């Protein structure tokens, strides 16, 4: 008699996709809070000046979500070490989001 083993396949791309999307959406909402209220932009900025900040900040948020995913997978799973890993991941996310915001708004709102 042979015993059947049901191997479960996990889609690693979908596991990574969730924190990347969460990070990107948070970043997109935060930059939208800064950009949407602007009624009369400087004419020197051009017609599509909002595209650059939206793209760069959203990418920075997505990369921050990926960093969180990888640190959570490679780091310890229990105890105070996990807490330190989560706090470090959040700190890296915030710093990356700040750098993405500065790069995105350089030459427009932050000249």
């Amino acid at each position: 008699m042979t015993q059947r083993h049901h191997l479960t396949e996990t889609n690693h791309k979908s596991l990574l996709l969730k924190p990347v999307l969460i990070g990107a959406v948070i970043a997109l909402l935060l930059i939208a809070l800064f950009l949407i209220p602007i009624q009369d932009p400087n004419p020197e900025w051009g017609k599509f000046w909002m595209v650059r900040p939206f793209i760069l900040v959203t990418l920075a948020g997505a990369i921050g979500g990926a960093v969180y995913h990888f640190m959570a997978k490679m780091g310890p799973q229990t105890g105070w070490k996990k807490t330190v890993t989560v706090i470090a991941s959040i700190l890296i996310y915030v710093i990356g989001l700040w750098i993405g915001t500065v790069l995105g708004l350089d030459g427009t709102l932050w000249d």
Side-chain angles (χ1 to χ4, degrees):
M1 226 192 269
T2 61
Q3 184 179 16
R4 287 189 162 186
H5 295 283
H6 296 285
L7 299 175
T8 59
E9 287 188 26
T10 58
N11 190 351
H12 296 291
K13 288 182 183 178
S14 67
L15 295 176
L16 175 63
L17 189 64
K18 185 176 179 181
V20 167
L21 286 177
I22 290 171
V25 167
I26 290 171
L28 184 65
L29 292 175
L30 287 175
I31 195 65
L33 287 174
F34 286 111
L35 297 182
I36 298 300
I38 298 174
Q39 298 296 322
D40 298 319
N42 190 340
E44 295 175 359
W45 297 345
K47 187 176 181 180
F48 299 106
W49 71 274
M50 284 189 183
V51 173
R52 179 178 169 193
F54 274 120
I55 290 174
L56 285 176
V57 174
T58 304
L59 284 175
I63 291 170
V67 167
Y68 176 81
H69 170 76
F70 290 126
M71 286 186 71
K73 289 292 179 188
M74 295 187 164
Q77 298 298 320
T78 59
W80 66 272
K81 292 180 182 178
K82 180 178 181 179
T83 305
V84 170
T85 303
V86 169
I87 291 171
S89 299
I90 292 171
L91 186 62
I92 291 169
Y93 177 79
V94 169
I95 291 170
L97 193 62
W98 174 66
I99 291 172
T101 303
V102 169
L103 289 174
L105 294 177
D106 181 42
T108 57
L109 291 178
W110 288 352
D111 194 12

